[in-house]
Amino acid sequence: MRYRSLGRTGIKVSPYALGAMMFGALGNPDHDDCVRIIHRALDAGVNLVDTADMYAHGESEEIVGRALKGRRADVVLATKARNPMSDEPNHQGASRRWLVRALEDSLRRLDTDYVDIYQIHRPDPDTDIEETLAALTDLQRAGKIRAFGTSALPASDIVRAHWVAERRGLARPRTEQPVYSILNRGIEREVLPVAQEFGMGTLVWSPLGGGLLTGRYRKGQEAATHRSRYGFRHLTDDRRLDVVEQLIPLAEEAGLPLTHLAMGFVLAHPGVTSALLGPRTMEHLDDLLAGVDVTLTDDVLDRIDAIVPPGTDTGTLDMAYQPQALQRPELRRRPAGERAAA
């Protein structure tokens, strides 16, 4: 594995990173099997493992903690907090009150006394960014986290976070975790250039387009897969499926499985540090690891650009973050009586 610098942190990480969302009740409930999958990834040279408190309500962190016994010092361990962990209104968000408690809970489940990267799972419009940065700075100075970052943060908010950190003498976010694949290239416009400008490492998630770039989902065909049971709309989006139908022959001409074409694409961008694999089974992991040596030619990348133009999204991934301005109609519509020009 050829390691890359995680922004300007000085930490070296593998281009393939292991995402642990599918470990536990959501995906693979067999803890022993999940541990074997993690060990297989580590043995292959993967040194970054990413999880979150909300994955299977803490079960994923427990599995990761068990798998890293005896190997913790060699692993760059990342976890996340922000999303609800109970019905209690303060058991969520990016406030100091919750982040301190959430990290303690994560450290207990992970059976470690520190995490290398602590990430805010999604933007929290209810909390002042200074409140969040101050709490994370204190956790870093206490030695409980080595660095911290964000996930799904718009480019303007990344800039604002760095501006506030510099103005207030606080630590800066060192990583960003956005969605990125051939099907979702929107971050190429601003997020990736801004992350590069500020020296941030970028850990992209869903490089297989939420499962569509596995080749198991075809237009006009019903797929009986683990994901299809959850009713994800992006799996039946005709716009996205149309793109898949164009990519399959391209992958065949390049002599590659579609999964390897998809991974090769995201890792070719100079702003991408690592791509998160989210295997549920050993077979899934082995298929992806078989593509570590893939290098896409300029011709193949040009043909991908012709199918999905740079900086554009094809449809919307169900799990992708949508800002409140898009979720709430009242934020983009004046009252009816104020809409006319005269």
Side-chain angles (χ1 to χ4, degrees):
M1 197 75 69
R2 184 182 300 167
Y3 297 90
R4 298 177 173 182
S5 295
L6 184 65
R8 298 188 189 129
T9 64
I11 300 171
K12 304 296 184 182
V13 295
S14 50
Y16 278 24
L18 184 65
M21 187 178 74
M22 299 305 292
F23 298 153
L26 179 65
N28 187 343
D30 186 332
H31 287 206
D32 291 338
D33 191 41
C34 292
V35 169
R36 285 191 291 269
I37 293 170
I38 296 171
H39 287 171
R40 171 75 178 94
L42 299 181
D43 292 342
V46 173
N47 77 335
L48 171 58
V49 178
D50 176 85
T51 184
D53 57 3
M54 71 166 291
Y55 294 163
H57 204 72
E59 188 180 358
S60 172
E61 288 185 323
E62 292 173 354
I63 292 170
V64 169
R66 176 184 162 193
L68 297 188
K69 285 185 183 299
R71 307 182 73 159
R72 173 67 186 91
D74 299 325
V75 173
V76 178
L77 179 59
T79 192
K80 300 181 284 294
R82 156 48 176 115
N83 292 310
M85 289 297 287
S86 79
D87 292 334
E88 216 286 325
N90 288 312
H91 287 182
Q92 61 181 304
S95 68
R96 175 183 292 271
R97 185 182 192 276
W98 175 239
L99 290 179
V100 172
R101 162 74 183 277
L103 178 60
E104 293 296 340
D105 291 345
S106 288
L107 292 176
R108 184 185 67 254
R109 290 189 291 262
L110 289 163
D111 194 19
T112 185
D113 56 3
Y114 73 99
V115 294
D116 296 284
I117 312 169
Y118 196 47
Q119 302 157 105
I120 305 303
H121 207 155
R122 289 292 184 271
D124 181 6
D126 294 330
T127 303
D128 192 313
I129 187 63
E130 185 173 341
E131 166 87 0
T132 301
L133 291 175
L136 293 169
T137 298
D138 288 345
L139 292 172
Q140 185 175 358
R141 290 171 178 168
K144 294 185 177 182
I145 61 178
R146 300 298 187 249
F148 61 83
T150 56
S151 178
L153 207 63
S156 58
D157 286 351
I158 294 175
V159 172
R160 185 160 61 96
H162 281 266
W163 180 81
V164 169
E166 181 177 2
R167 189 181 186 199
R168 298 299 189 189
L170 301 170
R172 298 184 290 121
R174 294 294 189 172
T175 63
E176 163 59 14
Q177 189 175 131
V179 61
Y180 186 49
S181 73
I182 296 175
L183 296 170
N184 290 96
R185 303 183 61 175
I187 64 168
E188 293 174 346
R189 287 186 175 273
E190 293 186 342
V191 171
L192 287 176
V194 165
Q196 289 175 277
E197 175 69 20
F198 285 108
M200 298 173 70
T202 307
L203 315 173
V204 301
W205 61 276
S206 203
L208 300 185
L212 279 176
L213 298 177
T214 62
R216 301 180 68 187
Y217 303 89
R218 303 294 299 270
K219 193 166 186 180
Q221 300 179 20
E222 186 172 343
T225 66
H226 179 81
R227 286 178 182 268
S228 63
R229 293 185 296 176
Y230 291 94
F232 289 127
R233 292 169 296 177
H234 70 259
L235 297 176
T236 56
D237 184 335
D238 283 342
R239 293 169 297 174
R240 294 169 73 84
L241 289 168
D242 284 340
V243 170
V244 172
E245 293 299 327
Q246 297 176 68
L247 292 172
I248 288 174
L250 173 57
E252 292 173 349
E253 290 178 37
L256 298 171
L258 184 58
T259 51
H260 295 179
L261 179 80
M263 292 298 299
F265 168 80
V266 299
L267 290 176
H269 196 292
V272 171
T273 308
S274 300
L276 294 168
L277 316 178
R280 183 174 55 86
T281 68
M282 189 72 77
E283 180 184 6
H284 293 163
L285 177 63
D286 286 340
D287 169 68
L288 292 167
L289 289 177
V292 293
D293 294 325
V294 167
T295 299
L296 300 188
T297 65
D298 287 342
D299 176 64
V300 170
L301 291 170
D302 287 343
R303 293 178 65 182
I304 291 174
D305 287 348
I307 295 170
V308 181
T312 63
D313 289 326
T314 304
T316 302
L317 185 67
D318 287 71
M319 299 87 74
Y321 171 74
Q322 294 293 329
Q324 288 196 352
L326 298 183
Q327 294 183 51
R328 296 168 53 189
E330 68 272 17
L331 295 181
R332 59 180 186 273
R333 298 175 186 172
R334 292 178 181 273
E338 301 176 9
R339 295 175 190 170

